[in-house]
Amino acid sequence: MKVRKLREFYSTRRVASQTTVSQPNSQLNVHQNAQPIAQTNAQPTKQPNAQHTDQPDSQHNDQTNEQHNNKHNEQPNNGLPNEQSNDKINIPSEMPRSIRQLSKPLVKAPGDVECGNPNCRTKYASAWRTNPEIPEGGWLCNACGIFIRTKGVHRPPEVVGRVYKNNILALPFIDEPVPRKETLRKRKNPEPESDDRTPSTLNVVTRRRKSQRNGHGTSSDPDAVDDEDIVRSESSQDDVLNVPTNEEEPLPWERKEFLKCGLYSMDLKVGRRSSRSKEKESENSITEIFPLPVQYGKFLMEEKRNFHLTWDIITAHKHIYVDRKRKNEEPVICDCKPPRNGGLGCTEDCYNRVMFYECSPKDCPCEEQCTNQRFQRKECVKELEVFKTENRGYGLRTLVETPKDQLILEYRGEVISHSTALKRMETKYKYRKSIYFLDYENRAVVDGGTRGTEARFINHSCAPNCHIEKWRAPNGELFIGVFASYNIPAMTELTYDYNFSTFGGAEGQECLCGASNCRGILGGKKQFRK
Ligand SMILES: C[S@@+](CC[C@H](N)C(=O)[O-])C[C@H]1O[C@@H](n2cnc3c(N)ncnc32)[C@H](O)[C@@H]1O
C-alpha cells in the first residue's frame, strides 16, 4: 500500500518535471562536454517516453544525447534568459528549482564504476560517496550515499526513480571521471589565492547540512553524513554556475510540518490526520489538529471587551469548610402534594419553606414542580455588575429590574470557626480596609474575601434595598442569600444592612452610605472579642 502510494507520488512528479525541464534544456547546453543524459542510466524506472528506453551502450548514448540536445536547442526560448554565453550561465536564483537544477553537472565515478546500490546502478551523479558496505573502492552516487548513511539501507527503486527523472532527462553531465578524491579536509586547508578552485555551491550546502545535522558541525554522530567521502566534479563547473542546487531542498522524508499560525489563530492548521480523525472531520467538518488551549479561547478572541484586571477572588461554587467537614444530615421532607394541573408545588404553605428549609430534589413529593429549591437550582440574577463607587471601593449593581423577594445571589465563602476568624483579623485582614466576614451560625463566620462570590462586593447601607436570608440546605448546612427587599430598578447599587452583628470590619469605620437615617458607623472588631 505504502509502496503503491510512493510510486504514484513519484510518477506524478516525473510527469510534471518532464514537461518543465524540456524547455530549459534548450538554454543549458552549457558545458563544452556537457550533454543532456537521455539514456545513460542502466537501472532507471521505465519512462513513459519511448525515446528514453535503457541504452547500455555509452557511444550510442552520446549520439542520442546529442540528438536530444539539438532537438531541444531548436525549441523557442519560452521566457528563459538568452544572454548567456556557452561557457558562463547566470541563472537567477528566483528561477524555479526545476530550471536551476539543470546547471548541476553530472560526473562519472572513479574507475568508471556504477553506483553500488543495486536499485540504482547509475554511472553519473553530481557527486560520489564511498560505499560503507565496500569501504575499499566501493562507490555510491550522491543520493544513494546520503540515503544509506541516514537511513541505513539502500534507496528503494521507488525513490531511485525520482533521481532518474532529474538526472536523465534534465541534467548535463561531465563525461570525464573525476581524477582524484577531493575531501572536505583538504578544502579546510586554505588553498593559495592563485588556485582558482573555490568551494562549490555544493560544498557549501553539503557542509551546511552536515553542520545542521551535527549541531555546529562538531558532533561525532556516526549517522551523520560525512563530507570526506564525497568526490565531485572539478569546481570550476560549479563556480561558473554558482547557483544553489536542489540539495537545499529537504528530501521528502526530511520535510516537517510546522504550525503556520498560533494556537489561537482562526486559520487553524490542517495537517496530517489519521483515518479516524478524517472520519470525525467528515462528521462535523472541523479540521483542527489542535484543540483550543483554553475552554473559551474562541469566545475570548472574538468578543470585544474593555480590559480590566480580574478580581482577587476565586469563585466558590459551594461553601468551603475550613475547620470541619461538611454536614451530611438526612433531609426533612415536606408533606406537600404535587398539584394535579402541573402547577407550582411547595408554595407559601410548604412547611419546609415556612421553616426556611429547602426541599431535597431527590425526596420532595412535588419533584420537578417543587419551587422551594432556589439555591440548589441557582435561580439567581445573572445580570449583575461590579463597579467602582465614589468613596466605598467597589460595589455591586443590578443591570435589570429585580422584583421584590427575588434571590439575587448567594453569599459563599470559607466557613471558618470563630477562633479562625479572630486569627484572620489579626493577620490577613490586619491592614486591609475591606473585610468580608458574615455570620454563619454557632459563632462560625463565612469569609468571602478570597474564595466566594460577587456578593462580597455588596456595600452596607443604613437604608438598604436588599436583605440577607439564611436557608437550611437538605444536608443541614446553610445557604446565605441576598434577596431584594423591594422592586429594584435596573442599574441600582445593591446594598444590605451589615447590622453590626453580621459584619466584623474595622472598628469605628465611618459609614458613607449617604442615607438620611444613616447611623454613622459600620461594625467593629469588638464583636469578635471573647
Ligand atoms: C464586604 S466589603 C464591600 C466591598 C468593598 N467596597 C470592596 O471594595 O471590596 C466591606 C467593606 O466595604 C466598605 N464599605 C462598605 N459599605 C460601606 C459604607 N456604607 N461606608 C463606608 N465603607 C463601606 C468598608 O471598607 C467595608 O470594610
Side-chain angles (χ1 to χ4, degrees), residues 391-395 411 433-436 455-461 496 498 503 505-506 509-513 522:
N391 50 7
R392 293 158 295 139
Y394 289 104
Y411 198 113
K433 197 179 170 191
S434 296
I435 294 152
Y436 306 93
R456 77 161 215 182
F457 293 107
I458 300 177
N459 286 318
H460 161 88
S461 173
Y496 66 88
Y498 287 176
F503 181 70
Q509 200 170 354
E510 184 189 0
C511 179
L512 302 171
C513 73
L522 296 177

Side-chain angles (χ1 to χ4, degrees), residues 149-167:
R149 291 299 175 91
T150 53
K151 304 282 171 188
V153 292
H154 280 306
R155 283 197 309 154
E158 295 80 18
V159 180
V160 171
R162 183 176 75 98
V163 175
Y164 171 79
K165 171 268 300 185
N166 284 344
N167 292 354

